[in-house]
Amino acid sequence: MVALLTGLKLRLLRNRLRSETWVLVGLVVAAVMGLGAAGLASVGAVLLSVAPEGVAATVVVFAGSVVVVGWAVVPVLAFGVDETLDPARFATLPVRARDLVPGLTVAGALGVPGIATALVALSLVGTWSGSLPAAALAVLCAPVGLVTCVLASRTTTTLAARAFTRRGREVSALLGVVLFIAVTLTPSLLAGSGVGRSLDPERVRSVAHVLAWTPFGLVWAAPADVAAGLVGRGLLRFGLALVVVAALGLVWERLLAGSLERPPATSARGRAPSRRRRAVLDRLPDGVAWAVAARSLRYWRRDPRYVVIVVTSVLAAAVPLTAIGLGGARTALVATGPYVAFLLALSTSNSVGYDGSAFAAHLLSGVPGRADRIGRAIGLLLWALPLVVVLSAAGAVLAGRPGLVPACIGAGAGMLLGGTGASALMGAWLPYPVVEAGGNPFQTNAGGGVQAILAQFSTMLAAVTVGLPGLGGLVLTSAWLPWLAWPTLLLGVGAGAVGLWAGLEIGGRAVDERGPEILAAVRRGT
């Protein structure tokens, strides 16, 4: 089964590379970046062989723990996990989860992240080359570390996908936000309280010693113990690392068995339709654009893929700005509103991609392109504009600059309006496929690739261009001309409104002209 599944993945990847140029370009770019970084890390690992044993052990345990945590967390919060062999596709076949786990694990390592991790893990043999037993154990630990990373990734993404159900997605998303903020801001809070400055090498070594007894650091600390002459402890850590792999494998097997028995796309069948009163949606005006807006609002509230977008967008803005503010640069908090507006506006740049085949209903029913663009923009602005206004005002107050509230609102609202217009335009010109509805919201879709990057970059460039008047006014108001606060409000909102109008008009015409091509583009690779 292992050989069958790995061969199947390689054939699927080869066919995509032959048929889709963007996938090939994306793979080349990812290989250059990922393997280049892995090469530098490998050189650093070999150079650690001349460092004192304590220093080398501390660095290896910290770096290895970060790698394992990265595999477990990053796919959930950012890029997703490659599902070339989507387990849900095996639901109709007479195959058990126990038979699939080994093959899917090996197939999961056959990618740029897996190869890069394998190279770094093997380079640790050079770190412990001064001790033959430690180097030999490092050879055994390399595949164990790689398997730990892959299983951790698959377990967390499967758990997250199951958590984002119709009834539990809001609670799970909220809990995820709270936990991620707590973990991410802990270093900044420690630094702001002075604890970080009091750390000394002995304390850092103590933290590494604790990590070495956790599932994240066991496999990386075992060769260090053998190199230090503690053979028994090193073998104990290696044995515990194998137990961690077995435990992760069992957990993923249970989760995979549940996915095979109850595929996400069919898990909601048989339920009675909801009869709850939709207060906001029932009060929307009649019309084609408002019908599109109502559907868009429903997606923002109920579709796990949209929930993930909102969570990651707010976190990507709030976490770094809060960390900078805690570090002493409180003025940076005035950028909170514009930054969140920028990220939220980008989230609609591929709204047709999230529709997938459902976009065909627009084409068949003759929905005008302008109504399509306006409805999607309304679906975002009805809730995002008040949020941006509140965050903009709060950022200015928390920065100790309440006089900047009008300028912050102007910059934030202008960025959101202009960015929404840019997204309406680029979404019609550069659509790309994403994970289908009902699938794992943390799964990547290889059909997008570099085209997705190009679309996002183009949208960012257009959004920043439209938002420059408000941003420039905010900078001038903050640094030199306080009297520009209210003019900046008018200038930012005005420029954003013009950008929104232009994007909706041009994007609407593009949808009318390229409707079938857009549908084909968002369905490619799915």
Side-chain angles (χ1 to χ4, degrees):
M1 183 65 74
V2 173
L4 176 64
L5 292 177
T6 53
L8 178 60
K9 173 167 182 174
L10 292 175
R11 285 195 296 272
L12 290 172
L13 179 60
R14 181 186 61 190
N15 292 338
R16 278 188 169 177
L17 293 177
R18 287 179 175 177
S19 60
E20 301 181 25
T21 305
W22 287 114
V23 177
L24 177 60
V25 174
L27 180 62
V28 172
V29 173
V32 171
M33 297 178 62
L35 299 182
L40 293 176
S42 300
V43 172
V46 174
L47 292 178
L48 281 175
S49 61
V50 299
E53 288 182 359
V55 174
T58 300
V59 173
V60 169
V61 170
F62 265 116
S65 300
V66 169
V67 170
V68 176
V69 172
W71 271 82
V73 174
V74 170
V76 174
L77 297 174
F79 304 108
V81 61
D82 177 25
E83 289 284 12
T84 305
L85 298 179
D86 188 352
R89 297 180 181 179
F90 296 93
T92 58
L93 301 178
V95 59
R96 298 179 302 173
R98 181 176 300 178
D99 299 326
L100 289 175
V101 167
L104 293 178
T105 301
V106 175
L110 296 179
V112 173
I115 295 174
T117 303
L119 290 176
V120 176
L122 287 173
S123 68
L124 296 180
V125 177
T127 304
W128 310 115
S129 58
S131 170
L132 183 59
L137 185 58
V139 173
L140 298 177
C141 287
V144 175
L146 177 60
V147 172
T148 301
C149 292
V150 175
L151 288 176
S153 173
R154 295 309 174 106
T155 301
T156 55
T157 52
T158 305
L159 278 171
R162 289 170 66 90
F164 274 79
T165 59
R166 271 194 160 185
R167 295 183 178 179
R169 64 184 175 276
E170 293 90 353
V171 175
S172 58
L174 179 59
L175 292 177
V177 171
V178 173
L179 291 176
F180 182 76
I181 290 178
V183 172
T184 307
L185 291 184
T186 295
S188 299
L189 292 171
L190 293 176
S193 63
V195 175
R197 292 188 292 273
S198 65
L199 293 179
D200 54 29
E202 287 299 326
R203 186 168 299 180
V204 173
R205 193 173 294 112
S206 299
V207 175
H209 178 72
V210 173
L211 286 174
W213 286 107
T214 67
F216 308 112
L218 281 169
V219 70
W220 314 113
D225 287 336
V226 175
L230 304 173
V231 178
R233 192 168 74 178
L235 294 178
L236 175 61
R237 290 193 206 270
F238 181 69
L240 292 176
L242 293 177
V243 173
V244 170
V245 169
L248 287 173
L250 289 175
V251 172
W252 189 39
E253 178 189 333
R254 295 295 299 272
L255 295 173
L256 185 58
S259 299
L260 294 177
E261 296 170 3
R262 297 178 298 277
T266 60
S267 59
R269 291 180 181 174
R271 297 177 183 175
S274 174
R275 306 295 297 178
R276 291 179 297 177
R277 186 169 179 264
R278 300 168 296 169
V280 176
L281 299 183
D282 289 342
R283 287 176 169 79
L284 294 180
D286 296 329
V288 178
W290 286 103
V292 176
R295 191 184 65 158
S296 179
L297 285 170
R298 189 178 299 111
Y299 284 176
W300 282 111
R301 185 177 67 87
R302 301 175 65 179
D303 193 325
R305 300 171 300 171
Y306 281 79
V307 175
V308 170
I309 289 175
V310 175
V311 171
T312 54
S313 296
V314 174
L315 285 178
V319 170
L321 289 174
T322 303
I324 293 173
L326 291 173
R330 291 179 59 193
T331 306
L333 294 175
V334 301
T336 302
Y339 194 15
V340 172
F342 172 72
L343 295 177
L344 288 178
L346 292 183
S347 65
T348 61
S349 63
N350 192 39
S351 56
V352 175
Y354 287 98
D355 281 4
S357 60
F359 180 68
H362 284 212
L363 302 181
L364 293 174
S365 58
V367 174
R370 187 171 181 272
D372 176 271
R373 301 290 91 182
I374 292 176
R376 296 177 192 273
I378 292 174
L380 172 68
L381 294 176
L382 279 180
W383 63 268
L385 188 57
L387 174 65
V388 167
V389 171
V390 171
L391 290 177
S392 298
V397 173
L398 292 175
R401 305 286 300 274
L404 294 179
V405 169
C408 288
I409 294 177
M415 179 62 72
L416 181 63
L417 295 173
T420 303
S423 294
L425 177 59
M426 295 302 171
W429 281 354
L430 295 171
Y432 54 91
V434 297
V435 61
E436 291 181 306
N440 186 344
F442 307 102
Q443 167 187 335
T444 57
N445 188 316
V450 174
Q451 186 171 348
I453 298 176
L454 178 61
Q456 291 290 317
F457 178 78
S458 302
T459 306
M460 287 190 290
L461 184 61
V464 171
T465 301
V466 177
L468 272 179
L471 295 176
L474 176 59
V475 172
L476 292 175
T477 304
S478 174
W480 298 292
L481 305 172
W483 58 270
L484 276 179
W486 288 103
T488 297
L489 172 62
L490 299 177
L491 182 63
V493 173
V498 172
L500 175 64
W501 173 82
L504 295 177
E505 289 292 332
I506 302 175
R509 288 198 293 269
V511 171
D512 289 334
E513 297 171 359
R514 303 184 63 251
E517 289 81 1
I518 294 174
L519 177 62
V522 299
R523 293 295 297 163
R524 176 170 47 86
T526 58

